[in-house]
Amino acid sequence: CKILRCNSEYVAATLHLRGPDRSPAFCTALRSYSLCTRRTARTCRGDLAFHSAVHGIEDLMIQNNCSKEGPTAPPRPRLPAPNPHGFESLDICDYERSFFYKHGRPPGFQHCAAFGDPHIRTFHDDFHTCRVEGSWPLLDNDYLFVQATSSPVTKGSNATVTSKLTIIFKNMKECIDQKVYQAELDNVPAAFQDGSVNGGVRPGGSSLVIWERSPGRHVEIRAAYIGTTIAVRQAGRQLSFSIRAAEEVTRAFTEEQDLQLCVGGCPHSQRMSRSPRGRSRVPAETARALCREMLPVEDVYFQSCVFDVVTSGDTNFTMAAHGALEDARLFLPDAEKLHIFQ
């Protein structure tokens, strides 16, 4: 059933139509849409989207006083196919383009990050500092599974840091084979576990790629088939994770997948205050001065930096907070939400 192609051609034909003089062209687009649905009627007979389109066309033609007889628009020219599987197979694996064709607008995006102690910025812009020793899921949905493994920042400390990240890109029939990426301290590879750097031999294999931004320190994984970009960094003795994901992807989970730090933040029993307590390894004022050099705005990134430097004595944590802020600057759909103040 190729009803989605009919839908996308109709959206593309009407995107530019505005104002009171649009009726003739709009009616032409509707007749073309109707013709396309009739051509797919045999294969789409049991498809709900097909029946919705047919009824929708009838309503729109009545509302706009369109005649069923009249000219139809020629079909849109197809883009040249960059591979032997043809354009359509690649289009399925370009989430942003496919979404625009279907809905006539770009998709929405959300951002999550885990860095330092670890500190979690959720998709809903909540901000928590967690102790979470052991392995915890950052994400667990129909498309992605991301697990962070934490260990104490220093012997006997309640504070923990991420020492290992496991990211599973789940099999997607038209686009990619299942791929596993794993990073550990002093081992941030620019390849998946099987040695590959893309999504495999399927038609949309190139819609999943790894880019090395800084050898052994910073990689970026782009998953165009789900409109998602992930950054993994190492600063000092900790790993950090940042993601920009399409809203549809972040919501694709069931009630059983309710424990996701990127969705709900840290469980209450695992949350810590960012007021440094106990034995300080670096004086608070020294930590504040160090963090201010990298983070001039005293927001939660700055507070997290101070906490981490005081608790660990490791000045590399200034780089961790700075890297997380730079990822947020790139990944956040709304620049006004960059800084969080608590």
Side-chain angles (χ1 to χ4, degrees):
C1 176
K2 296 182 179 179
I3 189 62
L4 292 183
R5 187 202 295 173
C6 298
N7 292 352
S8 67
E9 288 180 354
Y10 167 70
V11 168
T14 56
L15 268 177
H16 65 287
L17 300 179
R18 298 285 185 274
D21 300 327
R22 73 174 190 160
S23 289
F26 192 69
C27 290
T28 299
L30 279 172
R31 283 190 290 268
S32 301
Y33 194 8
S34 179
L35 179 63
C36 188
T37 59
R38 290 199 297 275
R39 286 173 177 163
T40 64
R42 177 180 290 180
T43 54
C44 293
R45 194 173 300 152
D47 191 289
L48 188 60
F50 169 77
H51 292 288
S52 297
V54 170
H55 292 301
I57 293 166
E58 290 177 2
D59 291 342
L60 285 169
M61 291 189 85
I62 293 169
Q63 291 168 23
N64 291 273
N65 296 319
C66 295
S67 167
K68 291 186 178 180
E69 302 300 324
T72 57
R76 288 184 298 126
R78 297 227 177 154
L79 297 181
N83 75 13
H85 298 282
F87 171 69
E88 278 185 25
S89 62
L90 282 185
D91 195 38
I92 294 168
C93 302
D94 185 331
Y95 179 86
E96 292 189 48
R97 182 186 291 186
S98 178
F99 188 96
F100 190 86
Y101 279 180
K102 291 176 189 174
H103 303 283
R105 61 177 176 82
F109 293 94
Q110 294 182 314
H111 167 59
C112 169
F115 67 96
D117 187 63
H119 311 285
I120 307 290
R121 179 176 185 148
T122 74
F123 287 132
H124 311 294
D125 301 316
D126 295 321
F127 200 92
H128 301 149
T129 295
C130 320
R131 54 173 56 90
V132 291
E133 189 172 349
S135 296
W136 292 74
L138 294 171
L139 280 169
D140 183 9
N141 60 42
D142 293 348
Y143 304 98
L144 281 168
F145 178 79
V146 181
Q147 180 173 273
T149 301
S150 298
S151 52
V153 64
T154 55
K155 191 174 181 179
S157 171
N158 277 336
T160 59
V161 289
T162 300
S163 53
K164 181 178 179 181
L165 281 166
T166 302
I167 305 170
I168 300 175
F169 297 87
K170 297 181 181 179
N171 169 69
M172 192 165 172
K173 187 178 178 183
E174 303 89 349
C175 302
I176 68 150
D177 302 321
Q178 177 171 293
K179 291 290 177 178
V180 179
Y181 178 81
Q182 198 160 78
E184 298 184 69
L185 289 176
D186 301 323
N187 182 18
V188 181
F192 295 107
Q193 272 200 318
D194 62 4
S196 65
V197 294
N198 60 33
V201 297
R202 298 189 186 189
S206 61
S207 65
L208 175 65
V209 291
I210 294 183
W211 299 87
E212 189 171 54
R213 293 301 185 195
S214 176
R217 293 283 155 177
H218 180 196
V219 299
E220 188 173 284
I221 307 172
R222 296 182 185 174
Y225 68 100
I226 50 173
T228 294
T229 304
I230 291 172
V232 175
R233 299 173 183 259
Q234 178 172 338
R237 305 305 300 160
Q238 63 90 40
L239 299 173
S240 64
F241 167 88
S242 294
I243 186 170
R244 174 189 186 257
E247 288 178 353
E248 191 175 12
V249 171
T250 67
R251 293 195 297 258
F253 60 89
T254 64
E255 290 181 9
E256 288 75 31
Q257 296 165 300
D258 61 338
L259 181 57
Q260 301 179 63
L261 301 191
C262 274
V263 175
C266 308
H268 282 279
S269 63
Q270 298 293 320
R271 295 180 192 177
M272 298 175 66
S273 165
R274 276 188 300 281
S275 299
R277 292 173 182 169
R279 190 173 66 180
S280 298
R281 294 174 181 268
V282 170
E285 279 310 308
T286 303
R288 291 175 68 84
L290 287 166
C291 292
R292 198 173 286 114
E293 291 176 13
M294 303 293 292
L295 303 151
V297 178
E298 296 194 12
D299 59 359
V300 291
Y301 293 97
F302 175 83
Q303 293 173 13
S304 302
C305 174
V306 173
F307 177 87
D308 291 347
V309 173
V310 167
T311 304
S312 69
D314 185 351
T315 58
N316 284 306
F317 277 97
T318 60
M319 295 299 298
H322 179 260
L325 182 64
E326 289 306 297
D327 287 337
R329 203 184 301 278
L330 288 171
F331 290 171
L332 270 174
D334 184 353
E336 291 183 1
K337 293 183 177 178
L338 176 62
H339 299 291
I340 298 174
F341 298 94
Q342 289 179 346

